[in-house]
Amino acid sequence: MKVVLLPNFISKIYNGTIYFRNTEIEIFKQLQDSGNEVFIFGNLCSKKNKLLNSAFYNSTNLNFVCALKKWKLTNRIFNIFIFLYKFIKLTHNKDLIYIYLPYTYALLLFPVLIFKRNYALYIRGNLNNSNFFTLTIYKYLIRNSRFNLCTGTHLTNFCKNYNKHTFEVVQMFSIPLKKNNTTLVDHKQINLLYLSSTSKAKGVFDFLIIANKILTDIPNAKITIAGAGPEDEMDIFYNLYEKIIDKERCKYLGRIEDKNEIIQLLKENNIFIHTSYSEGFPRAIIEAMANGLIVISSKIDAVKNFLVNRENSLLFEPGNSDQLYYCVKEISDDESIFQNLRTNSTITINRKLQYYNDEVSHANQILKYFELTKKHE
């Protein structure tokens, strides 16, 4: 089978180095190991034409079809023409195009429809946040795709309204899921962990602006922030971080790639802070809960499947820093809330671990539903 992956593939660009999303690399390798011919389509340049270090790209041995190595800033029409030409040429006579929604290269969705390419969708995030025009296009794509794989029950049910060949994808995780692995099971120390992109979209700025208030009002609190964000937003992050009055109790570790370091961070903390404005499938929350951390999360669609406010977590409105502060303060002030949330969180995750530890890979799900839907061609 010949497959073209059309992912939101480049995770971030830091200091000129390309980093790829782990999920997408896993899918590529799984498909390739199953004997399929796999191509990935995208750019190896930023629109600002910053020089990129392709060492990481080369080390992953990816079959990457580069649309543009350099944007011609004075000729946008030329850029678009080359971009579309290479994509149309690549997708000719391929068995399947696997497209990620919401998708960065929205321009490529039109030739998929015009040339009637055989495609399937991997849908993550909150489509309802899209404007009317974009959502209408997404619905049309969902309705006419061969099949859809969705993250979470909420999104799956939404897409099933438009295409019966819609299935909830079994998620793979970057670290082993273990029950109650944290070493901080009591209330004496409130260790808060933020482990995500340090970008505006992930809400880290909302957390930073109340960090001093948390450290002042809660003497036994410590904050650890790990991750990195888009280059154009890191200056904002550093400006906010520089205002932290006690950096011994609020540490920024930068981007962490090593799985063992992530596991160690989960062991050393007991409260997980999730401030994102939208999410496809919040794997980090599942990993934190499986390792015994209490979750304080923004109230987004992606968490509705398993987080219940004041039962197994505390939830706040996205972007509301005051609500986030009071969530932290409430846990620190009342040990019974701390213990109840931790107990109920454990019950919740224990019910889900069997499902999330399923050995079915994402790639095998793609192949399974590709074969299944052959009967309906």
Side-chain angles (χ1 to χ4, degrees):
M1 183 165 125
K2 295 181 179 180
V3 184
V4 176
L5 298 183
L6 214 62
N8 185 8
F9 191 69
I10 295 179
S11 175
K12 294 290 181 296
I13 301 171
Y14 306 118
N15 298 323
T17 300
I18 302 169
Y19 290 90
F20 296 95
R21 297 179 186 273
N22 291 332
T23 305
E24 280 80 335
I25 290 178
E26 289 168 7
I27 295 171
F28 175 89
K29 291 182 177 178
Q30 290 161 3
L31 283 169
Q32 195 174 57
D33 291 344
S34 300
N36 301 285
E37 191 173 358
V38 190
F39 305 86
I40 297 171
F41 184 82
N43 283 330
L44 283 181
C45 69
S46 68
K47 291 186 179 180
K48 296 179 180 179
N49 277 331
K50 291 190 176 181
L51 296 176
L52 303 181
N53 180 350
S54 60
F56 185 87
Y57 152 70
N58 292 328
S59 69
T60 55
N61 196 29
L62 301 176
N63 193 2
F64 194 100
V65 177
C66 181
L68 295 170
K69 292 184 178 178
K70 186 174 182 181
W71 283 88
K72 293 184 179 296
L73 298 177
T74 58
N75 197 338
R76 181 168 296 187
I77 294 176
F78 178 81
N79 291 332
I80 294 173
F81 175 80
I82 296 298
F83 201 64
L84 291 176
Y85 171 77
K86 288 191 175 182
F87 173 72
I88 293 168
K89 183 179 178 180
L90 173 65
T91 55
H92 179 64
N93 288 334
K94 298 301 187 295
D95 297 299
L96 185 70
I97 306 171
Y98 194 53
I99 303 171
Y100 290 44
L101 285 184
Y103 187 59
T104 304
Y105 302 134
L107 182 67
L108 299 180
L109 300 176
F110 294 100
V112 166
L113 298 173
I114 293 170
F115 291 92
K116 297 182 178 179
R117 301 299 196 229
N118 196 13
Y119 71 92
L121 300 176
Y122 174 34
I123 306 170
R124 51 191 294 172
N126 186 1
L127 299 185
N128 288 321
N129 284 343
S130 307
N131 61 48
F132 175 80
F133 177 74
T134 304
L135 185 58
T136 301
I137 294 175
Y138 286 161
K139 288 177 180 178
Y140 183 84
L141 287 165
I142 292 166
R143 187 180 294 114
N144 292 280
S145 66
R146 181 167 182 147
F147 62 87
N148 304 306
L149 291 180
C150 302
T151 56
T153 307
H154 183 83
L155 192 55
T156 303
N157 290 339
F158 171 81
C159 294
K160 274 186 177 178
N161 293 326
Y162 305 97
N163 188 331
K164 66 179 181 180
H165 302 302
T166 297
F167 312 94
E168 183 174 354
V169 66
V170 176
Q171 291 291 328
M172 307 300 289
F173 289 83
S174 58
I175 63 172
L177 299 185
K178 297 181 180 180
K179 302 176 185 177
N180 306 328
N181 200 35
T182 181
T183 56
L184 295 174
V185 296
D186 59 36
H187 192 250
K188 295 177 182 178
Q189 185 65 48
I190 301 297
N191 282 12
L192 308 171
L193 174 64
Y194 177 93
L195 183 61
S196 186
S197 170
T198 52
S199 63
K200 181 179 179 180
K202 294 297 182 181
V204 68
F205 303 155
D206 304 325
F207 184 36
L208 280 176
I209 61 177
I210 59 167
N212 281 332
K213 188 170 177 59
I214 290 173
L215 296 174
T216 301
D217 295 351
I218 308 173
N220 61 334
K222 291 183 180 180
I223 298 172
T224 301
I225 299 173
E231 290 181 344
D232 57 350
E233 293 183 15
M234 286 306 293
D235 286 342
I236 302 173
F237 174 85
Y238 285 124
N239 286 337
L240 289 171
Y241 182 69
E242 282 303 311
K243 296 177 182 178
I244 302 297
I245 55 177
D246 189 348
K247 291 188 175 59
E248 286 298 313
R249 293 168 57 209
C250 181
K251 295 185 178 180
Y252 172 56
L253 305 180
R255 183 183 178 93
I256 296 180
E257 295 285 341
D258 189 88
K259 294 179 181 179
N260 291 326
E261 290 184 37
I262 294 174
I263 292 171
Q264 187 61 35
L265 277 178
L266 293 172
K267 286 182 179 180
E268 294 172 354
N269 294 274
N270 51 11
I271 298 176
F272 187 80
I273 303 295
H274 185 265
T275 53
S276 182
Y277 284 76
S278 66
E279 200 74 48
F281 180 84
R283 296 198 299 176
I285 290 181
I286 297 293
E287 291 169 348
M289 292 174 72
N291 283 275
L293 281 75
I294 296 170
V295 172
I296 298 177
S297 173
S298 51
K299 196 185 300 182
I300 55 177
D301 284 346
V303 306
K304 290 179 179 178
N305 301 320
F306 55 95
L307 294 186
V308 180
N309 190 34
R310 310 193 69 78
E311 182 177 314
N312 61 7
S313 60
L314 290 183
L315 304 179
F316 62 94
E317 292 298 327
N320 194 321
S321 297
D322 290 336
Q323 286 186 11
L324 172 56
Y325 165 79
Y326 286 115
C327 287
V328 176
K329 191 72 166 64
E330 187 172 6
I331 290 177
S332 69
D333 287 348
D334 193 331
E335 185 172 1
S336 65
I337 292 177
F338 176 94
Q339 297 298 348
N340 286 338
L341 289 175
R342 190 172 186 281
T343 298
N344 292 333
S345 175
T346 300
I347 293 171
T348 299
I349 200 62
N350 286 351
R351 289 173 182 164
K352 291 183 174 289
L353 277 182
Q354 184 176 359
Y355 174 73
Y356 289 130
N357 277 320
D358 197 311
E359 293 299 323
V360 179
S361 70
H362 193 130
N364 284 341
Q365 292 171 80
I366 295 172
L367 299 174
K368 172 185 174 181
Y369 295 120
F370 178 81
E371 292 298 321
L372 181 66
T373 52
K374 270 187 177 180
K375 302 174 184 177
H376 305 280
E377 287 184 318

